[in-house]
Amino acid sequence: MPTALCLMAFYKRPMTLAGQPVTSTKVSSSDREVLVSVRNLKKYFPIKKGFIFSREAAYVKAVDNISFDIYRGETLGLVGESGCGKSTTGRTILQLHRATEGHVFYEGEDLVQMRGNRLREMRRKIQIIFQDPYASLNPRMTIERIVSEPLLVHGIGDTNSRRKRVAELLELVGLNPYFADRYPHEFSGGQRQRIGIARALALDPDFIVADEPISALDVSIQAQVVNLMQQLQQDLGLTYLFIAHDLSMVRHICDRVAVMYLGKIVELAESEELYTNPLHPYTQALLSAVPVPDPEVEENRQRIILKGDLPSPANPPIGCNFNTRCPVAVDACFEIEPELVEVKPGHWVACHRVV
């Protein structure tokens, strides 16, 4: 059987995006091993006042006491409005931002407590794909220098072996190894993101934070990059935290989805469960904005328009963070902060109206 037909056996629910087929490789929900466990994670950024004798007057609560697990081999989607703390969550998990409080357990070891060489060794297993393929690549370095830099930093191999590894990585992400001597400005956005993916794979990691990896790309290129990431997950056994705004794409490629609002997770469930049975009012409003590829359904369905602006994370509301915009808020929402509770197997919600 041809290779293309063999690969198609793994894919579910064929989907197209601007003419490009998008494949799905979701994992089973049974017998899963926890790879990353986030517990009570907080990341506060200080707001300082004063020029000479500056002091910390307040804090921006970018990530505010969140907990969730990521299973080995799965893709966990993280969605929400701009400024809700998605990217900060990903960077804090990797300790690119040092956590204010909480724990991030990777294979049972707490990344928050690690320092120096121990954390440096752990970074070989955890990597990131950045959002902007134009800003994340050094314009003064060749592609070979960019992709081989992780190997050089960790002292892996000699010059010849690193050059060979770069050629393998470029071929793995669908680029010609002869491009290694070129510079980033000679490539398109999609090609640059492939280079960023190659760099993330250089140390053979197990877990990758994909920080909106397709949002800066043309729609016609997005499907190609997503297909590449899905194929690499199959071939290399990768685990993804997939941060994105495109809810249609998240539904298709993610096994589970977590919804963030103002630094907190308000709902977490299996992908199909969340999209077919959203329980939190904020999740319902987000999903109502997703276009439906059926003119009759799209014309007749009800949109949920949220009123008001997103509150400042430096001064969040008392009680539920969503109470200033929630169309169904009750008195308890303005007094008591709701806990994230499992209302049905695998479906977690933080809402007084649901629990």
Side-chain angles (χ1 to χ4, degrees), residues 12-316:
K12 305 175 183 178
R13 297 190 302 120
M15 173 183 175
T16 60
L17 180 63
Q20 293 291 338
V22 181
T23 57
S24 176
T25 54
K26 296 183 179 181
V27 300
S28 171
S29 59
S30 60
D31 300 327
R32 294 180 295 185
E33 172 193 353
V34 175
L35 180 66
V36 180
S37 182
V38 177
R39 289 293 175 267
N40 305 114
L41 187 65
K42 297 181 181 180
K43 178 57 187 176
Y44 295 172
F45 294 98
I47 300 175
K48 295 186 177 182
K49 289 188 177 181
F51 181 68
I52 298 178
F53 301 103
S54 62
R55 59 184 178 86
E56 295 179 357
Y59 293 91
V60 174
K61 298 180 179 180
V63 179
D64 193 12
N65 197 27
I66 64 173
S67 300
F68 59 91
D69 293 328
I70 303 175
Y71 299 106
R72 185 181 294 276
E74 81 162 345
T75 300
L76 175 65
L78 191 59
V79 302
E81 292 174 284
S82 295
C84 70
K86 303 186 302 297
S87 295
T88 303
T89 296
R91 290 169 181 255
T92 306
I93 288 174
L94 300 180
Q95 297 305 296
L96 297 179
H97 294 320
R98 299 300 300 187
T100 303
E101 288 183 22
H103 306 277
V104 179
F105 296 101
Y106 178 84
E107 294 184 331
E109 297 188 68
D110 192 358
L111 299 179
V112 175
Q113 302 300 324
M114 292 184 183
R115 297 290 188 277
N117 291 333
R118 185 69 190 99
L119 180 59
R120 183 175 179 178
E121 291 174 4
M122 188 60 72
R123 293 197 189 282
R124 296 180 60 172
K125 300 181 180 180
I126 54 177
Q127 290 292 318
I128 184 170
I129 300 171
F130 293 99
Q131 175 180 358
D132 189 351
Y134 296 90
S136 62
L137 304 180
N138 191 330
R140 298 186 178 184
M141 296 172 62
T142 64
I143 303 308
E144 180 178 333
R145 284 280 309 280
I146 290 172
V147 177
S148 66
E149 190 173 22
L151 302 172
L152 185 63
V153 169
H154 288 269
I156 299 175
D158 55 18
T159 302
N160 291 332
S161 63
R162 287 195 290 267
R163 183 176 293 114
K164 182 178 179 181
R165 175 63 173 160
V166 169
E168 293 174 350
L169 289 167
L170 292 180
E171 190 170 2
L172 185 65
V173 299
L175 294 176
N176 194 321
Y178 292 105
F179 292 168
D181 293 329
R182 297 185 181 182
Y183 288 85
H185 73 270
E186 300 179 67
F187 295 89
S188 66
Q191 289 174 322
R192 292 189 192 196
Q193 196 62 291
R194 289 173 184 264
I195 294 168
I197 294 173
R199 178 177 58 186
L201 296 174
L203 297 173
D204 195 21
D206 295 322
F207 173 60
I208 293 179
V209 174
D211 186 8
E212 302 191 42
I214 61 174
S215 63
L217 305 178
D218 293 339
V219 176
S220 60
I221 306 299
Q222 291 179 4
Q224 297 177 13
V225 174
V226 168
N227 282 343
L228 171 63
M229 293 181 63
Q230 291 292 332
Q231 187 60 56
L232 291 172
Q233 185 176 40
Q234 281 286 316
D235 296 341
L236 306 178
L238 298 173
T239 302
Y240 292 133
L241 175 62
F242 192 88
I243 300 169
H245 281 107
D246 190 337
L247 298 177
S248 298
M249 185 66 73
V250 168
R251 178 178 187 176
H252 185 71
I253 68 175
C254 293
D255 303 288
R256 295 184 302 139
V257 180
V259 181
M260 283 195 74
Y261 181 82
L262 207 65
K264 294 182 179 292
I265 291 180
V266 297
E267 190 163 2
L268 171 64
E270 299 282 342
S271 178
E272 288 304 314
E273 167 67 16
L274 185 86
Y275 279 80
T276 57
N277 184 32
L279 298 179
H280 197 280
Y282 178 64
T283 307
Q284 295 171 355
L286 281 182
L287 296 183
S288 74
V290 179
V292 176
D294 186 327
E296 294 184 2
V297 175
E298 180 68 21
E299 183 179 359
N300 297 324
R301 74 190 186 109
Q302 184 86 22
R303 277 290 311 275
I304 300 176
I305 307 297
L306 296 178
K307 298 180 180 180
D309 297 324
L310 188 71
S312 169
N315 186 27

